[in-house]
């Protein structure tokens, strides 16, 4: 038998039976830093945050250009339609934030591109705590995401102004809903990206699953599952409520979706707490190869 | 004669020291009771075949992995307790060529790196970039493996860390650039007095730098020693043997590698030269010469040694 120690008190692993190795617990070192060693300093936290904000901006540059081109094409189409008919216009409402929030779900994958959990070598080799460093990069990505949502609404507002589409009259708090929704979805996307090597597969699988589930709505046996999914997506405290501030009120047949600040606040707090917890768990988890 | 190869190094201080380190992935052990000792100021070359556990060892030193058991000290600090401070003292070149932010230009990556290492020396970085013939405007993801390697070496050296940890540092470099890079590394060591730990399985490339050798196989550090000890104790004996020669009783365990043709034997033997020669002579062999091995031959001999 291949044995590395004769110490019967040594701690052992739960080894597979065919290995038959015992690993001793070695005596501890004297914790004395090399005398006279001049240690290089650590970076300042503000410097790290600033640099992460800048580097995430660079990471998002290509995706930003693609979105910009799409926006330019859309603007050109609206302009052409406006030339054809003065009735063609683009109204602005907080509900447009659904598109921005969906974008926020995908942004983390661009923030962490080339750095899946098993390959985050460069990021982890920096002289900063791994968890804190992941949070710093995530926070930088969130700042860019919220800036993108603001730019999206700025652009939509400009189109609404130019085409005479007008701005929907809603309570002021409802304009905060798309930003809350984008924050929640960004954090959920970040948690997924930090925790799994292939977030695209998970997101794609979830999307396909959601569509697939739609086909079973009429089946009684599938009702508990479809109800649960509907509660998460479009329920009273679901994601749709967080993103739009609108809640379905079935008692008002003519206006099924109505603004409800109480439901929005409750849903936002619940979803923010959940998404922040998941993000922090993923950031401080140290996957190893 | 005993055949025990040295696994302890005598030094006033160790820049890197591990004790009984074990690490496993799932059911497989990557490291098993590794006691690595890198003296302060040494250029320690850790050799071993692919999968021997070299890269895992380096990752443990930087706190990128956690050992399952055992202790690790880098410049006297535990990487698990003082990970950021340890990493601030280390210039690290990873095994992977596609390491880092591929969307950045080389110049932007240097700026990024400099933020994290306040000791960054821009003048030295510029000199290294010139010497490595790096175009700072090129995007990192579009560089060849060799150019990316030079960028990594620059990143590792430009903040003048007290410890360089280099995982296959010459991988992907063409012969000319390899020669120039090793020359610059030698200058860097002479200039800064830093400790260097190099992992490689191509020993001859770092021959001129190494002053200590460690041999790793199957997750175990089977030997480590100063080069001087290796030079003195491991020799290739060329001897003529008579018909029906029976070998050398008592020398069996010390023979690291056996070779030879016909009646001429060429054995690599670990031991005091005079004693080994005497044993050979007493057995009837005529020793023609006993020459020290090159670092690569020594590494190959130690790696191919049968337990």
């Amino acid at each position: 038998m291949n044995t590395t120690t004769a110490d019967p008190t040594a701690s052992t692993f739960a080894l597979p039976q065919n290995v038959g190795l015992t690993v001793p617990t070695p005596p501890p070192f004297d914790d004395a830093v090399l005398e006279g060693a001049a240690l290089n300093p650590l970076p300042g936290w503000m410097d790290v945050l600033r640099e992460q904000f800048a580097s995430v901006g660079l990471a998002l540059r290509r995706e930003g250009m693609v979105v910009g081109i799409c926006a330019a094409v859309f603007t050109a189409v609206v302009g052409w339609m406006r030339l054809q008919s003065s009735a063609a216009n683009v109204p602005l409402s907080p509900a447009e934030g659904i598109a921005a929030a969906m974008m926020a779900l995908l942004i983390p994958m661009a923030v962490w591109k080339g750095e899946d959990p098993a390959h985050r070598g460069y990021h982890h080799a920096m002289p900063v705590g791994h968890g804190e460093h992941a949070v710093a990069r995530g926070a930088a990505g969130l700042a860019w995401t919220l800036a993108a949502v603001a730019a999206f609404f700025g652009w939509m507002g400009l189109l609404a102004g130019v085409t005479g589409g007008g701005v929907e009259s809603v309570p002021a708090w409802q304009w905060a809903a798309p930003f809350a929704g984008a924050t929640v979805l960004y954090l959920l996307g970040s948690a997924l990206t930090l925790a799994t090597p292939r977030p695209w597969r998970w997101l794609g699988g979830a999307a396909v699953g959601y569509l697939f589930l739609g086909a079973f709505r009429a089946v009684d046996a599938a009702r508990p599952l479809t109800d649960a999914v509907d509660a998460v997506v479009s329920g009273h405290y679901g994601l749709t409520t967080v993103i739009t501030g609108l809640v379905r009120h079935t008692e008002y047949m003519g206006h099924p979706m109505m603004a409800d600040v109480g439901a929005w606040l409750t849903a936002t707090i619940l979803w923010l707490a959940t998404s922040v917890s998941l993000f922090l768990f993923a950031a401080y988890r140290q996957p190893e190869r | 004669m005993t055949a025990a190869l040295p696994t302890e190094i005598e030094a006033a201080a160790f820049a890197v020291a591990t004790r009984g380190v074990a690490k496993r992935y799932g059911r497989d052990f990557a490291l098993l009771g590794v006691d690595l000792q890198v003296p302060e100021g040494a250029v320690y070359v850790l050799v071993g075949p692919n999968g021997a556990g070299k890269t895992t060892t380096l990752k443990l030193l930087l706190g990128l992995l956690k050992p399952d058991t055992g202790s690790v000290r880098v410049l006297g600090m535990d990487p698990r307790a003082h990970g950021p401070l340890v990493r601030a003292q280390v210039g690290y070149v990873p095994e992977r060529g596609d390491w880092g932010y591929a969307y950045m230009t080389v110049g932007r990556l240097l700026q990024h790196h400099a933020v994290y290492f306040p000791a960054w020396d821009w003048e030295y970085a510029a000199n290294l970039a010139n010497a490595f013939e790096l175009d700072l405007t090129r995007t990192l993801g579009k560089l060849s493996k060799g150019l990316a390697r030079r960028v990594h070496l620059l990143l590792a050296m430009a903040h003048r860390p007290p410890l360089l940890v280099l995982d296959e540092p010459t991988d992907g470099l063409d012969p000319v650039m390899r020669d120039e890079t090793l020359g610059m590394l030698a200058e860097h060591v002479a200039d800064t007095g830093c400790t260097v730990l190099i992992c490689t399985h191509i020993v001859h490339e770092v021959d001129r730098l190494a002053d200590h050798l460690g041999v790793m196989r199957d997750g175990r550090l089977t030997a480590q020693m100063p080069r001087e000890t290796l030079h003195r104790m491991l020799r290739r004996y060329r001897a003529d043997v008579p018909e029906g020669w029976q070998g050398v009783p008592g020398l069996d365990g010390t023979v690291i590698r056996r070779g030879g043709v016909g009646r001429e034997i060429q054995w690599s033997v670990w031991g005091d030269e005079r004693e080994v020669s005497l044993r050979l002579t007493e057995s009837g062999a005529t020793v023609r010469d006993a020459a020290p091995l090159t670092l690569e031959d020594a590494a190959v001999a130690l790696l191919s040694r049968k337990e």
Side-chain angles (χ1 to χ4, degrees):
Chain A
M1 186 170 137
N2 194 357
T3 304
T4 60
T5 180
D7 180 6
T9 62
S11 66
T12 59
F13 291 116
L15 290 165
Q17 287 183 351
N18 61 340
V19 175
L21 296 168
T22 308
V23 180
T25 300
F29 279 105
D30 293 331
D31 272 327
V33 176
L34 286 179
E35 285 183 19
L39 298 179
N40 285 345
L42 293 172
W45 264 110
M46 285 310 295
D47 294 334
V48 170
L49 282 173
R50 263 195 299 270
E51 180 53 28
Q52 280 302 323
F53 184 75
S55 71
V56 169
L58 278 174
L60 295 174
R61 193 171 50 179
R62 185 180 295 173
E63 287 76 6
M65 284 169 65
V66 170
V67 172
I69 289 168
C70 291
V73 169
F74 185 79
T75 305
V77 169
V78 167
W80 181 79
M81 289 172 69
R82 182 74 183 164
L83 287 173
Q84 302 299 311
S85 164
S86 59
N89 55 46
V90 179
L92 176 65
S93 95
E96 314 294 347
I98 289 178
M102 293 312 292
M103 193 173 63
L105 186 64
L106 305 178
I107 286 177
M109 280 172 263
V111 170
W112 292 96
K113 63 184 166 192
E115 296 193 74
D116 64 65
H119 297 146
R120 213 167 294 140
Y122 181 73
H123 190 78
H124 277 173
M126 295 293 106
V128 184
H130 294 156
E132 293 86 344
H133 204 196
V135 169
R137 192 162 182 83
L142 179 60
W144 279 106
T145 301
L146 294 180
V149 175
F152 173 78
F153 275 103
W155 169 65
M156 289 295 287
L158 199 65
L159 281 183
V162 169
T163 62
V167 178
E168 189 179 335
S169 179
V170 295
W173 64 263
Q174 219 178 320
W175 291 103
F179 291 89
T183 302
V184 166
L185 287 177
Y186 171 83
L187 290 173
L188 290 175
S190 293
L192 191 65
T193 308
L194 286 170
T196 62
R198 295 176 188 86
W200 279 107
R201 288 189 186 177
W202 286 91
L203 278 180
V208 169
Y210 185 69
L211 293 173
F212 190 68
L213 207 61
F216 289 91
R217 286 193 188 284
V219 180
D220 282 343
R223 183 59 59 83
L225 184 61
T226 56
D227 285 352
V229 172
D230 285 345
V232 169
V233 176
S234 56
H236 198 71
Y237 301 116
L239 279 169
T240 310
T241 304
V242 179
I243 298 168
T244 63
L246 299 173
V247 176
R248 188 176 298 279
H249 284 266
T250 50
E251 62 268 34
Y252 300 106
M253 295 303 289
H255 304 280
M257 299 294 282
M258 294 179 69
D260 185 333
V261 67
W264 176 71
L265 272 176
T266 307
T268 299
I269 290 167
L270 281 173
W271 278 98
L272 271 179
T274 305
S275 57
V276 167
S277 302
L278 288 171
F279 171 63
L280 290 178
F281 176 75
Y284 281 87
R285 177 177 164 264
Q286 296 302 317
E288 295 180 351
R289 290 182 80 183
Chain B
M1 274 183 86
T2 59
L5 293 169
T7 54
E8 297 264 337
I9 291 176
E10 286 183 18
F14 292 105
V16 173
T18 71
R19 194 173 287 169
V21 164
K23 175 72 187 170
R24 65 177 187 177
Y25 301 110
R27 293 167 67 91
D28 300 323
F29 273 95
L31 298 178
L32 199 57
V34 171
D35 293 345
L36 183 69
Q37 295 174 323
V38 181
E40 196 181 13
V43 179
Y44 185 116
V45 174
L46 183 61
V47 301
N50 292 327
K54 305 187 298 294
T55 296
T56 298
T57 303
L58 298 195
K59 286 185 173 179
L60 289 167
L61 302 182
L62 273 87
L64 304 181
L65 294 174
K66 296 172 191 164
D68 292 323
T69 189
S71 313
V72 178
R73 291 296 181 273
V74 177
L75 302 172
M77 295 176 285
D78 180 354
R80 290 185 66 181
H82 307 286
L85 198 54
V86 166
R87 289 190 288 276
Q89 318 310 317
V90 178
Y92 174 49
V93 171
E95 185 184 23
R96 286 167 57 93
D98 57 347
W99 193 64
Y101 296 166
Y103 51 83
M104 284 187 181
T105 62
V106 175
R108 184 64 187 81
L109 184 66
L110 298 191
Q111 286 177 14
H112 178 81
H113 210 73
V115 170
Y116 283 85
F117 293 91
W120 186 266
D121 183 341
W122 272 112
E123 192 179 341
Y124 186 41
N127 289 341
L128 288 170
N130 281 335
F132 286 144
E133 298 169 12
L134 291 172
D135 179 355
L136 301 186
T137 63
R138 288 191 66 184
T139 306
L140 201 66
K142 292 178 181 170
L143 297 182
S144 66
K145 192 176 180 182
L147 282 171
R149 204 44 143 190
R150 292 182 225 173
V151 174
H152 295 153
L153 281 163
L154 193 163
L155 294 175
M157 291 159 71
H159 59 106
R160 298 180 188 277
L163 173 64
L164 281 174
V165 173
L166 313 176
D167 197 351
E168 308 286 357
T170 54
D171 191 23
L173 297 179
D174 61 65
V176 175
M177 184 46 68
R178 184 191 309 141
D179 189 58
E180 289 179 10
T181 301
L182 292 171
M184 294 186 67
L185 198 56
E187 277 180 32
H188 180 87
V189 172
D191 184 34
T192 62
C194 70
T195 308
V196 186
L197 171 57
I198 302 174
C199 275
T200 187
H201 58 268
I202 310 170
V203 186
H204 70 88
E205 292 182 354
V206 293
D207 188 317
R208 70 191 203 207
L209 288 175
D211 54 32
H212 283 74
L213 180 74
V215 179
M216 193 164 228
R217 203 169 64 178
D218 300 330
R220 297 170 190 272
L221 191 66
T222 54
Q224 61 181 345
M225 67 206 82
R227 190 163 183 174
E228 182 273 324
T229 303
L230 185 72
H231 193 76
R232 182 165 43 82
M233 296 292 286
L234 182 60
R235 290 182 176 249
R236 180 178 291 135
Y237 295 84
R238 199 159 60 90
D240 292 330
V241 296
E243 185 82 34
W245 188 62
Q246 296 295 314
V248 189
L251 204 62
D252 285 352
T254 65
V255 181
I256 305 295
R257 202 175 192 201
R258 293 166 196 268
V261 180
R263 290 194 185 166
E264 182 188 281
I265 60 164
Q266 285 189 27
W267 284 7
S268 299
V269 184
W270 180 269
D272 178 74
E273 185 192 342
R274 267 189 291 182
E275 193 177 347
V276 173
S277 296
L278 183 65
R279 296 265 178 138
L280 282 166
T281 305
E282 284 175 353
S283 72
T286 306
V287 178
R288 293 197 171 278
D289 58 43
L293 275 65
T294 64
L295 191 68
E296 181 167 32
D297 286 344
V300 170
L302 291 170
L303 281 169
S304 58
R305 181 189 183 217
K306 301 285 186 289
E307 294 289 349

